[in-house]
Amino acid sequence: LDVGTGGADIPAALSTSFRATGFPLDLYGVDRSGEILRHAAIGSPGISLAVAKGESLPFADGTFDATMCSLMLHHLSPSQAVEVLQEMRRVARRGVVINDLVRSLPGLWGAWLFGHLCTANALTRHDAPLSVRRAYSRTEILGLLHQASLEPIHMETRWFRVGIAARPAP
């Protein structure tokens, strides 16, 4: 389950990759915006999309092997982030994967440079540094995971991105 799937690009890429190896996946994506989902990558086989809020997922406990969210947590307040992570933990049998920005000075510089060297789009120039400023630090993300009763089993930071695999805390 991809929570905050947006255009469903990650489920679409996973579907393509795994079907090419002969291992089909049943993938689900939820987003709070029905308008965004209407424009999502819905042509890929094995992908189901639904309008739902991450804080109240409409699935039974343990419905999915894993849940994930990508570039979503930095849009949420700490209390909202904990609620979403708790829901992701609740509906996942095995674990949770998080991919997001991490707040750092090099990340802020990188976002500013990207916005000014790679695009003339005023929205991107404004939004890229703003997103890094709103992002959580590694320590804050670990705190959110702890509050959501999730135990990180792998955490990797590259530049201004962090990837985390977590499982329910014992």
Side-chain angles (χ1 to χ4, degrees), residues 74-87:
H74 70 273
H75 292 287
L76 305 175
S77 70
S79 61
Q80 289 173 316
V82 169
E83 285 182 62
V84 169
L85 291 169
Q86 289 171 331
E87 277 293 279

Side-chain angles (χ1 to χ4, degrees), residues 52-98:
K53 292 182 179 181
E55 300 95 322
S56 55
L57 296 170
F59 305 106
D61 295 359
T63 299
F64 302 96
D65 288 322
T67 58
M68 65 156 296
C69 65
S70 182
L71 298 175
M72 183 191 72
L73 280 185
H74 70 273
H75 292 287
L76 305 175
S77 70
S79 61
Q80 289 173 316
V82 169
E83 285 182 62
V84 169
L85 291 169
Q86 289 171 331
E87 277 293 279
M88 290 172 64
R89 184 197 75 230
R90 180 185 67 78
V91 302
R93 285 188 294 274
R94 296 177 177 258
V96 173
V97 176
I98 301 157

Side-chain angles (χ1 to χ4, degrees), residues 97-132:
V97 176
I98 301 157
N99 169 30
D100 214 309
L101 301 173
V102 65
R103 190 177 62 246
S104 69
L105 193 54
L108 185 57
W109 292 337
W112 187 89
L113 282 172
F114 169 79
H116 286 80
L117 297 177
C118 299
T119 183
N121 183 293
L123 180 62
T124 302
R125 285 183 173 193
H126 172 75
D127 189 56
L130 178 62
S131 290
V132 174

Side-chain angles (χ1 to χ4, degrees), residues 137-158:
S137 69
R138 285 174 47 103
T139 302
E140 290 166 337
I141 292 171
L142 290 172
L144 296 172
L145 291 170
H146 177 74
Q147 290 178 59
S149 298
L150 285 165
E151 174 186 23
I153 55 176
H154 182 77
M155 183 173 192
E156 189 169 322
T157 305
R158 295 219 176 142

